Amino acid sequence: MCRLLKVARSSFYAWLASERARAARRAADDALAHEITVLHIASRHTYGVPRLHAELRRLDRRVNRKRVKRIMRERDIAGITRRKRRSLTRPAKKAVPAADLVGRDFTAAAPGRKPVGDITYIPTDEGWLYLAARLDLATREIVGYSMADHHRASLVVDALTMAAGRGRLHRVLQSQIGVRL
């Protein structure tokens, strides 16, 4: 049979001799799967691999995280992710694309001539923190920023005011956006 399957005879006998070790491994995996299932049910089916691994470690059960992941995958045990994606953009009533004021040219001849910016949000324990930043295209330096618990236009205006107050905006640009110092 080994010749027909093109397997070395020594490999067959090694596989045959390791049957006891494989059975012990299966029994250990079944016992671990039972513990994982009990912990998973105790967590109301919410814990995933990281939390179940931490619980097992807390109970002085030294087990590899990858092994926990494999056993959970084999037995279709999965945690619940309750985090929701939050969209900050809302479609306009009439979809009119914004004008490209930079003209896809992200270079500037002198500092303070072309500020660009973005708004991002950061989850904190107290809620969302919104950050507006102004970047000077000539120096690639953040020249103004503003943080608040909202993402209204005043957040962007405060970032521009900070950039102008630090003397990082060109005077012509300051008059165009109406920033008074």
Side-chain angles (χ1 to χ4, degrees):
M1 186 193 287
C2 288
R3 195 177 318 121
L4 181 67
L5 295 174
K6 297 181 181 174
V7 175
R9 208 177 265 185
S10 61
S11 298
F12 169 72
Y13 286 114
W15 174 80
L16 198 59
S18 67
E19 176 61 33
R20 194 175 290 159
R22 285 195 310 275
R25 174 74 174 204
R26 274 195 302 273
D29 280 353
D30 289 341
L32 183 59
H34 177 71
E35 287 182 58
I36 290 172
T37 304
V38 167
L39 291 172
H40 187 68
I41 290 171
S43 73
R44 294 177 299 192
H45 304 280
T46 58
Y47 281 8
V49 175
R51 285 185 175 175
L52 284 174
H53 179 255
E55 280 292 315
L56 289 168
R57 297 280 303 226
R58 192 179 62 76
L59 296 171
D60 290 331
R61 184 70 197 266
R62 309 259 322 159
V63 62
N64 191 330
R65 185 176 179 154
K66 292 179 184 178
R67 186 175 179 197
V68 173
K69 184 176 181 178
R70 177 181 53 84
I71 290 172
M72 287 180 68
R73 185 181 59 241
E74 288 172 354
R75 289 163 173 81
D76 292 327
I77 301 171
I80 296 175
T81 303
R82 294 187 181 183
R83 295 182 188 134
K84 294 180 181 176
R85 297 283 304 168
R86 184 170 180 199
S87 174
L88 294 178
T89 56
R90 291 176 179 70
K93 293 181 181 177
K94 293 183 179 179
V96 177
D100 185 7
L101 301 176
V102 180
R104 310 301 297 167
D105 179 23
F106 297 107
T107 59
R113 301 270 181 178
K114 277 190 188 176
V116 294
D118 194 16
I119 300 175
T120 188
Y121 60 99
I122 304 160
T124 65
D125 288 340
E126 297 174 2
W128 294 98
L129 175 69
Y130 299 93
L131 170 68
R134 291 283 135 202
L135 174 80
D136 188 350
L137 285 178
T139 61
R140 303 287 181 192
E141 177 184 9
I142 299 291
V143 294
Y145 64 91
S146 178
M147 294 179 280
D149 61 349
H150 60 81
H151 62 282
R152 294 187 285 269
S154 61
L155 183 68
V156 176
V157 170
D158 291 344
L160 275 171
T161 306
M162 179 184 189
R166 293 176 64 200
R168 300 297 180 101
L169 291 182
H170 193 265
R171 292 287 177 196
V172 174
L173 188 59
Q174 287 180 14
S175 65
Q176 285 177 349
I177 61 173
V179 175
R180 302 205 187 275
L181 299 175

